[in-house]
């Protein structure tokens, strides 16, 4: 195909993407009329944008993908959705009893879970989160095991080959994990590749996966795929989570606790 034709297709698809994002939804006939192309061309353009993860195909057309905004540093995020995170954290911590061994991932909601676990007795925690380490430091009934790795300062987490190597030695732990974004089609996604690779290994060792995520993570897509929704044993979210999203998760067999 001539280069000029490829460029023309790319330009048209770029305009189409902007149009869908502005409208949030568009049908194939509407696209055909708006851009003066055949129905077949409209469908091909949507397929191309869908394959690139830029739109989500639905019957008869497409809807805009709600992209998660760039993730600010963990210190800044700790001041966002504070009440929701604390309710979610309390519900997650209530599931953890004395004498258990668990894994805590990085993130501000998981850090709040750590706060709620300070009074546990004979609790063993594995983590790659320096925020969780700081919170649990000095808690008399909690033994903290810190994975090695490279410091990701903005997230206060440890990532990289050494972290993944340490995770390879662990087996069958209850995992409490935060996530950047959740979507019915795209699953669990994060915005940083190295962090996502570690998250995948954390999920691999899980005997039970508890995802803690406030409403702002729902119906969002970030840049790096972590796992499908089928890995979730329990999602704990708050009462601002979109009811249709929660209902759809339950229909897929995901247990959801709304607090």
């Amino acid at each position: 195909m001539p280069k000029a034709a490829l460029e023309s297709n790319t330009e048209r698809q770029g305009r189409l993407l902007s149009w869908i994002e502005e409208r949030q939804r568009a049908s194939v006939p509407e696209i055909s009329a708006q851009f003066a192309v055949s129905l077949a061309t409209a469908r091909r353009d949507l397929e191309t944008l869908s394959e690139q993860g830029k739109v989500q195909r639905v019957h008869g057309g497409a809807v805009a993908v709600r992209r998660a905004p760039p993730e600010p540093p963990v210190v800044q995020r700790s001041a966002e959705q504070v009440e929701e995170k604390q309710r979610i954290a309390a519900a997650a911590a209530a599931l953890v009893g004395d004498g258990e061994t668990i894994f805590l991932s990085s993130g501000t909601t998981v850090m709040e879970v750590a706060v709620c676990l300070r009074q546990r007795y004979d609790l063993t925690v594995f983590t790659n989160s320096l925020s969780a380490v700081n919170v649990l430091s000095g808690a008399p009934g909690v033994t903290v095991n810190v994975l090695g790795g490279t410091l990701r300062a903005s997230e206060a987490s440890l990532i990289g080959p050494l972290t993944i190597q340490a995770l390879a030695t662990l087996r069958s732990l209850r995992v409490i994990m935060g996530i950047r974004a959740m979507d019915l089609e795209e699953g669990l996604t994060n915005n940083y590749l190295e962090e996502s690779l570690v998250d995948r290994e954390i999920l691999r060792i899980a005997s039970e996966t508890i995802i803690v995520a406030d409403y702002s993570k729902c119906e969002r897509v970030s840049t790096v795929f972590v796992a499908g929704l089928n890995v979730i044993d329990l999602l704990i979210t708050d009462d601002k989570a979109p009811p249709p999203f929660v209902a759809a998760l339950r229909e897929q067999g995901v247990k959801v606790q709304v607090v």
Side-chain angles (χ1 to χ4, degrees):
M1 184 176 294
K3 183 177 180 181
L6 288 173
E7 291 174 346
S8 175
N9 288 342
T10 300
E11 290 170 358
R12 184 182 65 252
Q13 289 161 7
R15 296 196 306 273
L16 172 58
L17 176 61
S18 298
W19 193 66
I20 293 173
E21 288 177 339
E22 180 180 344
R23 294 165 53 90
Q24 291 297 301
R25 190 181 192 97
S27 70
V28 170
E30 288 172 337
I31 294 167
S32 175
Q34 176 69 21
F35 293 91
V37 297
S38 68
L39 295 175
T41 297
R43 292 189 186 96
R44 284 197 297 271
D45 285 348
L46 289 182
E47 289 300 329
T48 298
L49 293 174
S50 176
E51 289 170 1
Q52 295 170 351
K54 294 178 179 178
V55 301
Q56 181 177 323
R57 285 288 264 130
V58 296
H59 181 70
V63 296
V65 172
R66 294 184 63 195
R67 293 283 172 186
E71 188 171 43
V74 66
V75 173
Q76 181 178 333
R77 300 200 322 272
S78 64
E80 299 173 349
Q81 289 86 45
V82 175
E83 182 182 340
E84 291 84 358
K85 290 175 181 177
Q86 288 176 344
R87 295 204 310 269
I88 292 167
L95 301 174
V96 180
D98 293 338
E100 289 196 36
T101 299
I102 64 170
F103 191 99
L104 298 180
S105 77
S106 60
T108 54
T109 307
V110 178
M111 181 180 68
E112 292 292 347
V113 176
V115 171
C116 297
L117 294 174
R118 283 182 54 86
Q119 304 306 316
R120 291 295 187 277
Y121 175 75
D122 194 27
L123 178 67
T124 300
V125 174
F126 288 85
T127 186
N128 68 320
S129 167
L130 296 187
S131 299
V133 172
N134 289 335
V135 167
L136 293 171
S137 177
V142 183
T143 300
V144 181
N145 298 276
V146 187
L147 277 61
T150 301
L151 174 64
R152 184 186 178 200
S154 64
E155 190 65 15
S157 64
L158 297 168
I159 59 174
L162 290 177
T163 312
I164 291 174
Q165 183 179 351
L167 284 164
T169 67
L170 300 178
R171 296 290 187 277
S172 194
L173 295 177
R174 173 183 281 181
V175 167
I176 300 177
M177 174 182 283
I179 196 68
R180 181 61 184 158
M182 297 182 294
D183 179 75
L184 295 174
E185 297 293 329
E186 301 297 330
L188 305 178
T189 52
N190 210 329
N191 72 330
Y192 190 68
L193 177 59
E194 295 297 325
E195 192 92 49
S196 299
L197 294 175
V198 169
D199 285 345
R200 291 176 195 170
E201 288 301 305
I202 294 170
L203 291 170
R204 184 189 59 77
I205 67 168
S207 60
E208 179 185 15
T209 299
I210 300 171
I211 299 294
V212 288
D214 66 72
Y215 70 93
S216 69
K217 311 301 193 302
C218 300
E219 296 184 319
R220 293 293 180 93
V221 179
S222 196
T223 51
V224 183
F225 175 76
V226 176
L229 297 175
N230 61 306
V231 303
I232 305 173
D233 293 300
L234 172 63
L235 167 65
I236 305 178
T237 189
D238 63 89
D239 56 7
K240 293 182 183 177
F245 178 74
V246 172
L249 284 176
R250 287 172 170 158
E251 287 178 4
Q252 292 187 24
V254 177
K255 185 177 179 181
V256 183
Q257 181 177 349
V258 178
V259 296

